[in-house]
Amino acid sequence: MTAPASPLPVTPRDIQDAHRRIAPHVRRTPTWRLENAFGHEGLVSLKLEFLQHAGSFKTRGAFNNLLTEEVPEAGVAAASGGNHGAAVAYAARELGHAATIFVPEISPRAKVDVVRRMGADVRIGGPRYADALFSCGMHIAATGALSIHAYDAEATIAGQGTVALEWEEDAAGGLDTVLVAVGGGGLVAGIGAWFGGRVKVVGVEPNGSCALFAALEAGEPVDVEVNSIAADSLGARSAGRIVTEIALATVDHVALVDDEAIVAAQRLLWRDFRIATEPGGAAALAALMSGAYRAAPGERVGVLLCGANVDLAALDALG
């Protein structure tokens, strides 16, 4: 983490403004306080963002975009592994706009079904997220639809940052550190922009999909290979440029977890709490449970549970 040479592209004021803008349209999700849980000797604050409309935090950024941009007759378009598409589709439906969502072939059926239920026109854009993003760009160029980027846009990042604003207000006992799963990085950038060094922000990525880890090492976005159980939500080929600028200044480091640790976190949440999370939604907890992030005794650790769009039959099969 390095001090920024100039003001960051997204500020706490931007996040406050976004929160006022989107508050009538999103859920203020609960914060759950647990003592001495998940192997940690201290307070664990779980932000239950998987209870958000459309099943993930991405609904916040979607509404912030649609409420700050003029939407053309062609509606909105987005590329998504599933959660961003569901969020854009939901926000567009609620605000009376058409939505076209491009998904990659690797998107789980459970997520694609959610996007369709939200009323969007769903199109398969290619094998991976980058291919869906390219197909979406072609559609936007041809129709004039409004592009809603999943992570590397100021309105998206400010919207996602409202999670941190609420978390700080609602976390009884305070927070020393928050663990946040990272795909393209819009969520961790928004959270970092809000806390601004007052709380340690730790990104969490799978070993097989570590775009932000690589960007922080290089000082700029770089392409990485993507091969993880969580690739449908944490599978960006590179972190965003705006994301990287903010993360370099506000994210302490990125902890890497293997797929087995992610599955173990999913299994525990489902078995012991009946909390249904997708792999990406359980990644932050996996870092705490596996020791990829080693919290000090008494450290007040926040863990963001960020996505619930999972096939329940597959989840139940984890045992």
Side-chain angles (χ1 to χ4, degrees):
M1 186 168 66
T2 58
S6 58
L8 294 174
V10 176
T11 68
R13 174 59 65 85
D14 295 328
I15 293 167
Q16 289 173 327
D17 290 344
H19 191 258
R20 284 191 290 269
R21 189 178 296 122
I22 71 175
H25 306 282
V26 302
R27 291 174 178 149
R28 187 178 184 109
T29 53
T31 299
W32 189 12
R33 173 190 170 115
L34 299 174
E35 293 280 0
N36 302 320
F38 312 114
H40 172 52
E41 297 178 14
L43 172 66
V44 178
S45 174
L46 297 179
K47 177 65 167 167
L48 308 184
E49 189 62 14
F50 64 90
L51 295 173
Q52 189 55 256
H53 293 298
S56 85
F57 69 93
K58 288 180 178 288
T59 298
R60 297 171 182 268
F63 270 111
N64 199 41
N65 273 279
L66 291 177
L67 292 169
T68 55
E69 300 283 349
E70 183 176 347
V71 180
E73 187 176 344
V76 301
S80 170
N83 286 342
H84 177 61
V88 171
Y90 174 80
R93 186 187 72 187
E94 293 301 296
L95 297 175
H97 305 298
T100 304
I101 308 299
F102 290 80
V103 299
E105 294 169 7
I106 64 168
S107 291
R109 180 176 176 179
K111 290 191 174 185
V112 176
D113 287 347
V114 172
V115 180
R116 286 200 173 98
R117 285 203 306 273
M118 298 301 170
D121 176 11
V122 178
R123 304 185 188 184
I124 306 301
R128 303 232 172 223
Y129 173 76
D131 306 301
L133 185 61
F134 177 81
S135 297
C136 183
M138 296 291 288
H139 170 80
I140 290 166
T143 65
L146 176 66
S147 172
I148 308 294
H149 200 282
Y151 51 87
D152 204 35
E154 293 174 9
T156 300
I157 293 168
Q160 318 309 28
T162 63
V163 172
L165 182 158
E166 293 179 4
W167 204 355
E168 185 170 31
E169 290 181 348
D170 296 346
L175 295 163
D176 296 316
T177 302
V178 293
L179 305 179
V180 183
V182 180
L187 175 62
V188 77
I191 288 174
W194 174 255
F195 285 125
R198 294 180 295 107
V199 170
K200 181 166 68 176
V201 177
V202 177
V204 179
E205 292 183 304
N207 277 300
S209 181
C210 51
L212 187 61
F213 180 88
L216 296 184
E217 289 281 301
E220 62 182 359
V222 293
D223 287 348
V224 298
E225 294 296 321
V226 176
N227 183 19
S228 168
I229 190 174
D232 62 296
S233 57
L234 307 183
R237 189 171 294 173
S238 65
R241 291 199 171 275
I242 302 172
V243 163
T244 300
E245 179 182 351
I246 296 172
L248 283 166
T250 66
V251 173
D252 186 81
H253 70 282
V254 172
L256 299 179
V257 295
D258 59 34
D259 283 357
E260 291 76 13
I262 292 173
V263 170
Q266 278 187 285
R267 182 185 296 118
L268 181 144
L269 286 167
W270 181 238
R271 183 194 66 208
D272 293 356
F273 301 100
R274 275 306 186 247
I275 292 176
T277 56
E278 61 195 83
L285 181 60
L288 183 63
M289 288 176 54
S290 69
Y293 177 74
R294 297 190 179 278
E299 184 176 351
R300 299 169 299 178
V301 179
V303 177
L304 184 63
L305 302 181
C306 57
N309 291 320
V310 61
D311 185 319
L312 291 179
L315 187 62
D316 203 42
L318 295 178

